[in-house]
Amino acid sequence: MNDKVYSQKDFTWRYSFLGAMIFALPILIVIQVFRIQVNPSWVESFDRASRYWSVTPRTIKPARGQIYDRWGSLSAGNRTVYEVGLELQLVSDPKAIAGTLSSVLDIDYADVYAAASIEASEDAVYAVVADNITQDKIDKLEALRKIYAASSEKNPPSLRGVVYNPHLARAYPDNSLASNVLGFVVREGDGYFGVEGYYDNLLAGTPKTVLVPLDPNRVRELPDVPDGTSLVLTLDRDIQRAMEELVDAALKETGAQSGTIIVENPRTGEILAMATTPRLNLNEYWRYDEIFKKDTSFNRAVSGTYEPGSVFKVLTMAAALDAGAVKPETVFVDTGVIEVGGLRIYNWNMGAWGPQNMQGCMQHSLNVCLAWVATQLGAEKFYSYMQAFGFGRLTGIDLADEVSGRLKIPGDGDWYEAELGTNAFGQGVAVTPIQMIAAVSAVANDGRIVTPHVVRSMASESYQRDKDLRTSGIPLKAETAHILTEMLANALETEASDALVTGYRVAGKTGTAEIPGPFGYTTNETNASFVGWGPVDDPQFLVYVWLEKPASSPWGSVVAAPLFRQVVEKLVVLLDLPPDDVRHSLALPAQAAPTASSVGSQP
């Protein structure tokens, strides 16, 4: 018998080893728990390595925030489209997939075949082959999938591995309405121009990359991703539509190359309408290059620079009155010519108008008089006021691609003394329409400029906030603003301007600016404009009209002033503003209001 005999020593060693293991096991568990807490990504990587075949990494993009007009009408929303992808571990027929998808989705065969031929691995489980695919094309793919599955062929084509993932894409229910303000979102999800570009990050929200289960029973494991922030605009859809119709009609009537109308509430800086040309059907954003030729701004109101001409005289006169350089009753004897910095300046009709007070200078739009006013003010004060009005810098409007224009000032290498005279009537200075309306709003709003803006409020799942009004400057005293408003209103009434609106008292000024070229200024092409506001005693609207190169007449008084009148006639209806006499009659006189001491005093 060859039995092995175990000694007591052998059993002691085994018991000691077993005891050590039992003692060490809890310590190892504690160490592992600590490791997981300190570095949880280790568990995630382990889990991914062990289960890669049952999940796929996916970046979940939140629904882009929607955009509404001030009354809640949808201007930009979302529609369901599909991402078409391949679950690589399921693909069995790359050729059939490439042939079918390239035909139905109009995509490149070679690209699809290359994607379908990728061998599934931990690092390659899913491939995107197309995106923004509409429901009708998905239906075609599904029909073909069923045909292949029912085929009696020995080795029928197979779309196994092809999956469709629905998501939202941008849609614009009004097509081109307010397109220059809204901007657009391209297929990749990036916003361009306008509100879509300026607020892109806010609207888009924050994407989140997660592991998406392939098992439909585990869909509930997907995390919620908050939608992007929605915006409510200051635009009034009805006013915007009316202004675009008026611009289009004006281009047909005058033969102008382009037109722009801005309507602002000068008290709040809210843009009620911003109509310009050309416009784009935002649902066909890929036609951008076809519509906006070289050097054509997407939104001329904020990106188009030009010399404004005589509308600029409003600001020259405002500065001179505010500084005390002239008074309304100051008389200037117009001889038809003045020399400033060695340059001889003439009136628009080359005539001499004789003695004129400041209202007469504005009423007859006398270049000579306004150049003289600027010299009375002096270069230092003149340019200080013009900078305070905001020229040469951005207004801060919340639209993408705003430009600052150019205001040359003393000290600049290309500024000459003569420019004090020409700048006084809007020649030699480059501005944008939004700069003009912001600057003139100081006259309509008691000397104060409220930063123009197109977004009224923002809303998300966690908050809703109205946009704060921001004062960007107070270049004038309120008294100056009131005096100049009355002067301009009287000037329009005295000359029976085509800008006058029956029942409503308005103030304003025409502008006709020759367009500079390589060989100087040309008289046969102009920028015609008008800026005006009303009602004079309580301004509720400020309107800027700009027609570029009108063919029927070069004069702002002929083409722009009547357009201003048409704009206001539409506005007073859409804003529900009663005529001045009705509004005044509805106001309760202060002396007629009962007081605490008078109530019950009668016997």
Side-chain angles (χ1 to χ4, degrees):
M1 188 171 181
N2 195 24
D3 292 340
K4 185 174 182 180
V5 178
Y6 293 92
S7 66
Q8 182 66 32
K9 185 177 180 179
D10 291 329
F11 284 107
T12 300
W13 178 84
R14 292 183 180 188
Y15 289 143
S16 297
F17 179 76
L18 182 60
M21 291 294 294
I22 293 173
F23 176 77
L25 184 59
I27 295 175
L28 291 174
I29 292 173
V30 171
I31 292 173
Q32 183 69 346
V33 170
F34 178 75
R35 183 180 180 183
I36 292 171
Q37 290 177 334
V38 171
N39 187 17
S41 63
W42 181 85
V43 174
E44 293 177 9
S45 63
F46 176 80
D47 183 66
R48 183 166 56 249
S50 63
R51 297 192 300 132
Y52 80 90
W53 54 269
S54 63
V55 296
T56 180
R58 190 77 51 79
T59 297
I60 300 178
K61 294 182 179 180
R64 192 174 180 89
Q66 304 195 93
I67 302 175
Y68 304 88
D69 90 328
R70 67 186 299 117
W71 305 118
S73 295
L74 184 65
S75 297
N78 303 302
R79 61 188 174 92
T80 300
V81 294
Y82 292 84
E83 175 189 273
V84 177
L86 303 175
E87 299 294 357
L88 298 177
Q89 71 273 19
L90 302 179
V91 171
S92 60
D93 193 345
K95 289 184 178 180
I97 290 174
T100 303
L101 297 190
S102 63
S103 175
V104 175
L105 306 183
D106 192 25
I107 55 180
D108 186 73
Y109 176 93
D111 291 342
V112 181
Y113 182 78
S117 300
I118 297 173
E119 184 177 351
S121 67
E122 178 182 349
D123 298 321
V125 296
Y126 178 81
V128 177
V129 294
D131 201 357
N132 288 288
I133 303 303
T134 56
Q135 183 67 54
D136 61 322
K137 291 186 177 181
I138 297 298
D139 292 341
K140 290 180 181 178
L141 288 178
E142 276 302 290
L144 288 172
R145 188 198 295 270
K146 292 178 181 179
I147 292 173
Y148 295 163
S151 174
S152 59
E153 296 180 23
K154 184 176 181 181
N155 293 307
S158 173
L159 295 183
R160 188 168 179 265
V162 177
V163 294
Y164 323 120
N165 298 301
H167 66 88
L168 299 176
R170 211 53 163 170
Y172 301 91
D174 291 321
N175 296 319
S176 65
L177 183 67
S179 61
N180 311 88
V181 177
L182 292 172
F184 55 81
V185 177
V186 297
R187 178 169 297 179
E188 292 75 19
D190 299 319
Y192 287 88
F193 304 109
V195 173
E196 296 278 28
Y198 189 92
Y199 289 100
D200 187 34
N201 290 337
L202 197 63
L203 287 161
T206 304
K208 188 172 185 178
T209 300
V210 297
L211 293 176
V212 177
L214 300 180
D215 182 354
N217 295 320
R218 296 172 56 200
V219 170
R220 65 173 59 92
E221 297 179 16
L222 292 178
D224 290 330
V225 179
D227 294 345
T229 300
S230 291
L231 305 178
V232 178
L233 304 184
T234 61
L235 296 187
D236 183 305
R237 184 186 187 190
D238 293 334
I239 296 177
Q240 178 70 28
R241 189 183 304 278
M243 296 307 106
E244 290 185 5
E245 290 173 352
L246 286 175
V247 165
D248 294 345
L251 296 191
K252 288 182 179 180
E253 183 177 346
T254 67
Q257 289 188 7
S258 70
T260 299
I261 297 174
I262 304 176
V263 180
E264 183 197 57
N265 182 330
R267 303 295 193 195
T268 64
E270 292 185 346
I271 302 299
L272 303 179
M274 182 179 282
T276 187
T277 59
R279 292 188 292 277
L280 171 70
N281 181 344
L282 299 176
N283 295 305
E284 300 175 352
Y285 65 84
W286 51 85
R287 296 184 59 207
Y288 170 83
D289 291 332
E290 174 186 336
I291 294 174
F292 296 90
K293 305 298 184 182
K294 184 180 179 181
D295 299 328
T296 300
S297 302
F298 184 78
N299 185 350
R300 278 181 162 89
V302 299
S303 304
T305 59
Y306 64 105
E307 295 190 5
S310 294
V311 289
F312 206 79
K313 293 173 182 175
V314 173
L315 305 170
T316 301
M317 185 60 69
L321 291 171
D322 197 69
V326 297
K327 297 179 179 179
E329 61 272 17
T330 298
V331 174
F332 171 72
V333 180
D334 182 10
T335 61
V337 63
I338 187 174
E339 186 173 309
V340 179
L343 178 69
R344 294 171 68 84
I345 294 172
Y346 301 88
N347 287 319
W348 57 272
N349 67 343
M350 304 300 290
W353 292 74
Q356 298 287 331
N357 62 17
M358 293 301 99
Q359 178 179 309
C361 287
M362 296 298 288
Q363 177 179 325
H364 303 303
S365 198
L366 304 181
N367 296 343
V368 172
C369 179
L370 269 295
W372 174 80
V373 167
T375 62
Q376 297 303 109
L377 187 60
E380 182 179 351
K381 285 187 177 180
F382 175 82
Y383 288 104
S384 177
Y385 270 99
M386 295 308 113
Q387 288 178 311
F389 283 126
F391 296 110
R393 59 180 171 82
L394 303 178
T395 66
I397 190 170
D398 46 352
L399 289 172
D401 304 307
E402 183 189 5
V403 299
S404 61
R406 176 80 195 281
L407 174 70
K408 291 183 286 185
I409 60 175
D412 289 346
D414 55 350
W415 181 85
Y416 301 95
E417 186 180 347
E419 291 186 275
L420 174 62
T422 58
N423 290 171
F425 54 89
Q427 192 176 85
V429 55
V431 306
T432 63
I434 196 63
Q435 284 180 323
M436 283 301 304
I437 207 165
V440 176
S441 72
V443 186
N445 187 34
D446 301 331
R448 182 184 302 269
I449 299 174
V450 180
T451 302
H453 56 282
V454 298
V455 169
R456 194 179 191 190
S457 62
M458 308 173 185
S460 71
E461 294 180 0
S462 58
Y463 71 90
Q464 180 172 344
R465 180 174 67 84
D466 292 338
K467 190 166 184 179
D468 297 329
L469 302 185
R470 182 164 58 90
T471 298
S472 58
I474 309 176
L476 301 174
K477 296 185 284 289
E479 180 185 6
T480 303
H482 299 161
I483 290 172
L484 182 55
T485 294
E486 190 64 25
M487 287 173 56
L488 293 171
N490 289 335
L492 291 179
E493 292 161 354
T494 301
E495 68 177 2
S497 169
D498 284 339
L500 294 175
V501 182
T502 302
Y504 300 86
R505 195 157 186 255
V506 296
K509 179 74 182 74
T510 57
T512 302
E514 296 178 344
I515 297 176
F519 304 106
Y521 289 89
T522 174
T523 57
N524 60 344
E525 291 185 336
T526 64
N527 284 309
S529 56
F530 190 96
V531 64
W533 58 97
V536 163
D537 61 328
D538 183 22
Q540 298 296 309
F541 56 81
L542 171 62
V543 175
Y544 189 74
V545 169
W546 169 34
L547 294 175
E548 184 181 11
K549 300 180 182 179
S552 62
S553 171
W555 302 108
S557 58
V558 176
V559 294
L563 180 55
F564 169 81
R565 184 191 69 247
Q566 295 168 21
V567 167
V568 175
E569 289 172 344
K570 291 280 189 181
L571 275 179
V572 295
V573 174
L574 294 170
L575 292 175
D576 197 22
L577 291 177
D580 291 348
D581 56 351
V582 174
R583 180 167 50 86
H584 295 156
S585 68
L586 293 175
L588 183 63
Q591 64 270 23
T595 63
S597 60
S598 64
V599 173
S601 62
Q602 298 299 321

